[in-house]
């Protein structure tokens, strides 16, 4: 049995969820991405698998040595810019002290591109959502039971709207690729989201 580490530490502040989480990705001299490394947890039945960049130092668990880092996203996107790794300096500063801002900036640009391709949220709705969030933040402290009633009412309203929207999307006959791009998700996540919303259809 294998346990895979959730190593995508860069999150978005959008509804993209696990479709677009980022991390610094290791790059080998040939320009390829190394295979995940397995850690033996002391039992033949359990292994821990990771692709954290710092294990590819050419020494840890016989992993190959990476020469550079690049931005990586859980959707499969990989940045084109390479940022060299000085392993002697990493050994002094530790992985947490190594500057990964370059790969992260490239990933942020990828997220901006995803946002640009996704169908826009109407400005008036975005403004209403912002106001509602602010009001709920206050209400959850001042009147938490009232806040819970509001949340329940919202769940009911948005659930009905989601069902109608899923029906309309399916009636349009759009490809899953087009739907995923419009939602800013990977295709599996887009399918899962529509399936979750489609309680009747």
């Amino acid at each position: 049995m294998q346990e895979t580490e959730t190593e995508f530490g860069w999150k978005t502040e959008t509804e993209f969820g696990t479709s677009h989480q980022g991390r610094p990705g290791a790059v080998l001299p040939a320009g390829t991405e190394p295979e995940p490394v397995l850690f033996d947890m002391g039992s033949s039945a359990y292994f821990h698998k990771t692709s954290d960049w710092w294990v590819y130092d050419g020494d840890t668990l016989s992993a190959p040595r990476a020469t550079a880092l690049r931005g990586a996203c859980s959707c499969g996107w990989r940045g084109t810019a390479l940022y060299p790794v000085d392993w002697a300096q990493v050994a002094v500063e530790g992985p947490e002290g190594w500057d990964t801002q370059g790969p992260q900036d490239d990933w942020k640009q990828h997220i901006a591109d995803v946002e640009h391709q996704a169908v826009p949220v109407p400005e008036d709705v975005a403004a209403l959502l912002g106001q509602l969030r602010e009001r709920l933040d206050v209400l959850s402290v001042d009147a938490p039971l009232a806040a819970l009633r509001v949340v329940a009412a919202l769940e009911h309203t948005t659930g009905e709207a989601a069902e109608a929207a899923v029906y309309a999307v399916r009636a349009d006959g759009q490809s899953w690729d087009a739907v995923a791009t419009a939602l800013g998700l990977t295709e599996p996540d887009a399918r899962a989201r529509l399936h979750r919303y489609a309680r009747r259809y």
Side-chain angles (χ1 to χ4, degrees):
M1 180 177 180
Q2 294 179 359
E3 295 179 347
T4 303
E5 178 180 338
T6 303
E7 63 234 354
F8 290 93
W10 303 333
K11 315 292 184 181
T12 70
E13 296 182 358
T14 68
E15 74 282 5
F16 296 157
T18 58
S19 280
H20 297 288
Q21 297 179 345
R23 62 176 173 83
V27 183
L28 299 178
T32 57
E33 185 169 316
E35 294 294 323
V37 174
L38 295 178
F39 289 82
D40 188 344
M41 304 300 288
S43 169
S44 60
Y46 290 93
F47 294 90
H48 177 73
K49 183 168 66 173
T50 183
S51 293
D52 279 332
W53 69 270
W54 49 266
V55 304
Y56 300 100
D57 58 1
D59 182 47
T60 302
L61 297 175
S62 300
R65 172 169 285 210
T67 54
L69 302 179
R70 64 182 173 189
C73 187
S74 55
C75 72
W77 171 89
R78 296 295 183 266
T80 56
L82 300 181
Y83 301 87
V85 180
D86 182 343
W87 287 108
Q89 194 64 32
V90 172
V92 172
E93 299 179 353
E96 66 282 353
W98 187 253
D99 183 9
T100 59
Q101 191 61 51
Q104 187 171 13
D105 287 343
D106 294 342
W107 173 77
K108 287 180 178 178
Q109 182 57 54
H110 162 64
I111 297 302
D113 293 340
V114 171
E115 287 266 20
H116 180 72
Q117 294 177 42
V119 62
V121 175
E123 291 184 5
D124 61 328
V125 176
L128 286 172
L129 288 173
Q131 294 172 16
L132 181 60
R133 175 59 187 269
E134 291 178 1
R135 185 70 181 94
L136 280 172
D137 285 344
V138 174
L139 201 60
S140 64
V141 175
D142 296 342
L145 292 176
L148 290 174
R149 286 203 63 191
V150 172
V151 170
L154 285 171
E155 289 176 344
H156 178 73
T157 300
T158 57
E160 291 183 337
E163 288 179 14
V166 168
Y167 179 79
V169 167
R170 290 182 173 176
D172 285 344
Q174 297 185 61
S175 69
W176 279 111
D177 180 65
V179 171
T181 299
L183 294 178
L185 304 175
T186 61
E187 185 173 317
D189 284 352
R191 288 177 179 270
R193 181 166 296 181
L194 264 66
H195 179 74
R196 185 170 73 249
Y197 290 159
R199 292 177 295 181
R200 295 181 183 173
Y201 305 108

